[in-house]
Amino acid sequence: MNFSELARHLGVSATTVSRVLGGKAEAYRISEETVARVRAAAARLEAAPDPLGAGLRRGTLGMIGLLVPDVTNPFFSSLARAIELELRRRGLAVQLSDSAEDPTTEEELLAAMLGRRLDGMILAPVGRVSPRLEALLRGSPMPLVVVDRVLPHLGIPSVCLDNAAAGRLAVAHLIQSGHRRIGCLRGNRDSHPDQERFRGIREAMGEAGLGPEALLVAGTGYSREEGLAGAEALLNRASPPTAVVSLSGQGIFGLLQTVERRGLAIPQDLSVVAFDEQPWSAFMHPPLTTVVQPIEEMGRRAVEMLCETEASREGGAGSAGGGEREAVVRLRGKLESRESVRTA
Amino acid sequence: MNFSELARHLGVSATTVSRVLGGKAEAYRISEETVARVRAAAARLEAAPDPLGAGLRRGTLGMIGLLVPDVTNPFFSSLARAIELELRRRGLAVQLSDSAEDPTTEEELLAAMLGRRLDGMILAPVGRVSPRLEALLRGSPMPLVVVDRVLPHLGIPSVCLDNAAAGRLAVAHLIQSGHRRIGCLRGNRDSHPDQERFRGIREAMGEAGLGPEALLVAGTGYSREEGLAGAEALLNRASPPTAVVSLSGQGIFGLLQTVERRGLAIPQDLSVVAFDEQPWSAFMHPPLTTVVQPIEEMGRRAVEMLCETEASREGGAGSAGGGEREAVVRLRGKLESRESVRTA
DNA sequence: ATGAAAGCGCTAACAG
DNA sequence: CTGTTAGCGCTTTCAT
């Protein structure tokens, strides 16, 4: 049942129905009686506004797009959940797409979403930003915020972990526990998080008076296989590290596999700090000491930023364009100390 | 750039632009020259059809709703990914919502989605079907398919695991491995999958000549905590089982925790078969023998069924309503035999 | 081979 | 306090 039909039934105009059901009865000072009649009839006949009609008229659909590299990754599924929840609170729906960690697919999907008439987009980029992706992003006709990674120099609002600080956190803990030879299992070195985490680690080592030779580096990507290869390289060193921090959430699988293959025990033979909570992290033998990201907050902030962007667009549309500041929110990670680090 | 503007630029009508860009040039025998001009201009000016305008006109938006209990659960995130991929192949977008395993939230979200003008819905129900949910489902104004669980007697197309067969598969393997005292860690007993899996297990036991006393039952829900409580109950029995099958994907955590607490070893002291692949299942000490669901196929079939429903609606709209058959597709599970089952 | 006109359902602007 | 009018962008008759 649509508004015009309902209006005819009641002998009022569609406008009135729209005002009542759109919550504008007060503003237009519709009589209480009319309001009641419309409400009752609407309830009885299950009349609800058609979002398409309203959307077309308003130029907005109440839907924002969310593009992630892999919903199957616990980090992104938690993020998606947090984002959906917060958007729902604000009456917005989410269209989800998954780029399967593939930059080309990502470009296509982003272009498609940018084309649909969404009210905004939240993007968790796959990795390095291709020129084509950058062009898409620059030309974006809608509010956009980037999560998890910051795309330097693009001036797009972003929210991500303070990766450098998180890296420091991890090694500081290791150093404090007496470790002096530390392995770092890196992820995708093109990615901002990996670079930042690594930077934080190097700085923390330096501040503790440990030279570069004390930091053993391996790993070339975020996958399990790459984690395994990197771990092998680390443990094959003439004098292997006594502790390893894995910058990759999935790569830790590879490390664990290698450790097991060699019959090593954690933390007796090797201490481990992992990045990113996994569903089983707390239930391993032993439970894994982990740098956890404040995912809920990340989602909340992303939505906030998106809505602010939207608001400022409407509000300050014609104002002098000088104030466009690059907003990057960096969230603090937390070290969940469990049992995979041995105090030397 | 919208169609009318583009049309004005080119000195043609919006109708022509629509026909060319809508792929109907042939049907309307637009001249090749015009087609070329329109295409070129559209590409240059980045003109694309506004889905809202088109949707309003056509009465369809090219979007289907997906409501799951918890995207964070690996099963549902994999399912969501599969569904999204298949829908994308067909040019459809997906709106995602997460009911957080809460029946009330589920009702609200379902009602909201049913109200939006989507082209269809795929629902993975939380659990038991409340009268209100049932009413919503019955009155659904749009094509709907249910996944993972079948709602008996509602006549809604569903696709799910052949849970009874999967249950048999699990215990058959255990029996074949020499186990004669088998524990069953149940999930939510109100849920169809749990009931069916359990039925399959009982049948398989019976067929192997094992009486009811050989089957030890515990567990009251799908959560980790409930899994733990159930596992405790099982292992506290005077004569505990030599093998346990966990019907709950998350509950297995609880079982594993209990086993560790007691210093038991798998599979030496206790054999384990788990339902539902988890990211770490293959990487545990030992790797977990698991009944895996064909999630990709499940997603694909759900989408197929949805689209068929949609098609038949349009096609046979006015036909005698007698042919409404309940379509329930049951998919075969597969036993991934790893190392958590000991041959006695 | 193309266009004009109508209308999908809604709401903002402009009357009263 | 309420209604009329117009138009969001598109596609589908119907008419050349």
Side-chain angles (χ1 to χ4, degrees), chain B residues 26-308:
Chain B
E26 298 257 307
Y28 284 93
R29 317 188 351 166
I30 311 283
S31 72
E32 288 191 21
E33 190 214 323
T34 307
V35 170
R37 285 206 312 141
V38 172
R39 288 245 168 82
R44 192 164 44 84
L45 302 172
E46 297 183 17
D50 179 328
L52 271 187
L56 183 55
R57 175 64 228 231
R58 292 206 181 105
T60 198
L61 190 71
M63 172 119 55
I64 80 101
L66 174 60
L67 180 52
V68 298
D70 180 10
V71 239
T72 265
N73 178 322
F75 173 74
F76 291 118
S77 62
S78 301
L79 190 59
R81 189 201 244 258
I83 287 173
E84 198 258 326
L85 187 64
E86 184 61 26
L87 283 170
R88 189 157 77 218
R89 285 212 189 99
R90 299 172 187 243
L92 295 166
V94 12
Q95 179 191 336
L96 178 80
S97 243
D98 184 315
S99 55
E101 299 277 8
D102 179 59
T104 309
T105 308
E106 179 174 54
E107 282 165 20
E108 286 166 14
L109 291 177
L110 184 64
M113 293 186 112
L114 257 20
R116 287 183 146 266
R117 223 209 246 174
L118 304 169
D119 297 316
M121 275 239 35
I122 296 179
L123 169 69
V126 166
R128 206 214 285 262
V129 183
S130 74
R132 218 166 356 142
L133 190 70
E134 179 167 337
L136 278 171
L137 258 20
R138 276 193 194 288
S140 168
M142 64 179 71
L144 174 75
V145 356
V146 164
V147 284
D148 183 37
R149 312 206 171 163
V150 358
L151 277 19
H153 313 307
L154 276 185
I156 296 173
S158 324
V159 33
C160 64
L161 185 68
D162 184 336
N163 285 292
R168 309 171 74 104
L169 209 58
V171 287
H173 178 66
L174 254 17
I175 291 173
Q176 210 170 4
S177 302
H179 294 278
R180 293 290 174 271
R181 228 181 141 59
I182 296 175
C184 176
L185 192 56
R186 296 189 65 171
N188 179 348
R189 299 187 187 197
D190 287 333
S191 79
H192 189 78
D194 183 82
Q195 290 166 2
E196 287 294 292
R197 289 173 191 179
F198 188 63
R199 184 166 65 81
I201 288 174
R202 259 201 334 237
E203 287 173 3
M205 301 272 300
E207 284 160 21
L210 295 171
E213 77 289 347
L215 183 61
L216 281 26
V217 184
T220 56
Y222 287 119
S223 79
R224 184 178 295 182
E225 291 73 22
E226 287 162 308
L228 193 140
E232 288 286 351
L234 243 26
L235 298 183
N236 278 339
R237 309 276 292 225
S239 73
T242 65
V244 172
V245 29
S246 165
L247 269 32
S248 151
Q250 304 295 306
I252 185 75
F253 279 116
L255 175 59
L256 262 23
Q257 237 178 316
T258 302
V259 165
E260 176 166 7
R261 268 194 205 160
R262 300 185 176 220
L264 266 27
I266 297 174
Q268 293 79 3
D269 303 316
L270 188 72
S271 290
V272 171
V273 175
F275 261 78
D276 281 355
E277 187 77 313
Q278 306 286 332
W280 41 264
S281 297
F283 299 88
M284 295 285 302
H285 309 276
L288 242 41
T289 293
T290 302
V291 177
V292 306
Q293 303 198 34
I295 301 185
E296 317 263 307
E297 188 184 354
M298 196 175 284
R300 223 175 322 126
R301 297 297 289 272
V303 171
E304 273 169 24
M305 290 173 80
L306 188 70
C307 293
E308 279 166 26

Side-chain angles (χ1 to χ4, degrees), chain A residues 17 25 86 99 122 140 167 201 211 254 285-286 317:
Chain A
V17 173
E86 184 61 27
S99 56
I122 296 180
S140 167
I201 287 174
H285 311 274

